[in-house]
Amino acid sequence: MAAYTENRWGLPQCVGAIDGSHIPILAPQEYHCDYFNRKGWHSIILQGVVDGKGHFWNVFAGMPGSMHDGRFLRLSSLWELASRGNYFPPCTRDIGGVNAGYYILGDNAYPLQSWLLKPFPDTGRLTAEHVFYNKKICSARVVVENAFGRLKGRWRCLMKRNDCDVKLVKSMVLTCCALHNLCESHGEDYDDGWDASAAEPGVAVAQGAEEEGTDIREGLMRYLNM
């Protein structure tokens, strides 16, 4: 996975990208306000991590739509295992003078970690090196947005309001992710006319979040600007 991403985007040790997408649901009878998202309708969240080919290798779904992406991540097994160093193989590489392990890419809604890198926030003082790094990260992260688009393009039930019980909707979402991988890996035909825009509105930057990957992000920035 890392080799494919490096060959395509020039990012060493990167094994994928993470993002979230809202799945419309009928307002549940209990805690319905929790499911009311920032776009004005009820939903559950699908968190997905894909590889460079757009195949999902980690999915987590079912939490209320009002939840922030960073909070959603902290409730997942991905966070629990990766934070303990028990998720990715202990394979490191010198990147820009920093010893870096495997990592995934996220946007500014996620906390910066040694295993989760994101763009530098645009404060109006970014250097040319910062801007180039951000551009490379964003170009590679498109793969997860495209994966969500193709997922919903194939399985249209994920785009319209689902009136089933929330637990059943969660199972349907995860099943569609598995079917997406089967179709993509077997080269099943896909009509570009099916494309569904999975882009979400801008989300707030994670506040009070851990910042444990600053040295690795700086190293990757130096590496990309060499």
Side-chain angles (χ1 to χ4, degrees):
M1 290 163 61
Y4 181 89
T5 302
E6 184 170 8
N7 289 335
R8 185 171 179 183
W9 289 286
L11 297 173
Q13 296 288 87
C14 179
V15 293
I18 184 173
D19 205 352
S21 186
H22 288 268
I23 309 299
I25 63 168
L26 179 69
Q29 292 185 350
E30 295 184 352
Y31 309 110
H32 62 89
C33 290
D34 292 341
Y35 291 85
F36 195 74
N37 63 39
R38 63 182 179 276
K39 297 190 288 185
W41 37 273
H42 294 86
S43 66
I44 62 171
I45 304 174
L46 165 63
Q47 173 184 282
V49 186
V50 303
D51 62 16
K53 298 180 180 179
H55 299 165
F56 291 98
W57 58 259
N58 183 279
V59 288
F60 179 45
M63 290 295 176
S66 65
M67 190 173 292
H68 185 278
D69 286 356
R71 173 61 178 162
F72 191 59
L73 170 64
R74 288 181 179 81
L75 295 175
S76 68
S77 59
L78 172 64
W79 175 270
E80 180 181 358
L81 294 173
S83 296
R84 295 178 180 176
N86 296 330
Y87 199 94
F88 300 109
C91 177
T92 59
R93 174 175 166 183
D94 183 283
I95 300 177
V98 178
N99 202 33
Y102 292 121
Y103 60 86
I104 60 177
L105 304 175
D107 61 21
N108 282 318
Y110 296 100
L112 180 66
Q113 298 286 289
S114 60
W115 53 271
L116 200 171
L117 301 184
K118 62 181 184 178
F120 288 96
D122 188 358
T123 60
R125 299 180 179 180
L126 295 181
T127 65
E129 290 77 13
H130 288 125
V131 172
F132 184 72
Y133 165 90
N134 283 358
K135 184 180 296 185
K136 293 286 287 185
I137 295 299
C138 291
S139 65
R141 278 199 68 256
V142 169
V143 69
V144 69
E145 297 173 3
N146 291 342
F148 278 132
R150 291 169 72 89
L151 172 73
K152 292 185 174 182
R154 272 201 175 96
W155 316 111
R156 312 296 283 189
C157 62
L158 302 181
M159 295 181 62
K160 60 184 180 180
R161 192 186 75 180
N162 194 314
D163 291 351
C164 296
D165 179 78
V166 171
K167 291 182 179 179
L168 180 56
V169 177
K170 174 182 175 179
S171 296
M172 294 171 67
V173 171
L174 298 179
T175 300
C176 288
C177 290
L179 292 173
H180 164 88
N181 283 357
L182 285 172
C183 291
E184 294 289 303
S185 61
H186 286 79
E188 193 74 17
D189 288 341
Y190 183 87
D191 188 334
D192 289 339
W194 299 343
D195 278 353
S197 175
E200 306 288 356
V203 294
V205 176
Q207 299 294 328
E210 294 86 345
E211 294 287 317
E212 299 179 355
T214 54
D215 56 337
I216 295 177
R217 182 167 64 176
E218 291 284 345
L220 181 58
M221 181 191 68
R222 290 192 294 269
Y223 175 89
L224 294 174
N225 282 276
M226 289 174 62

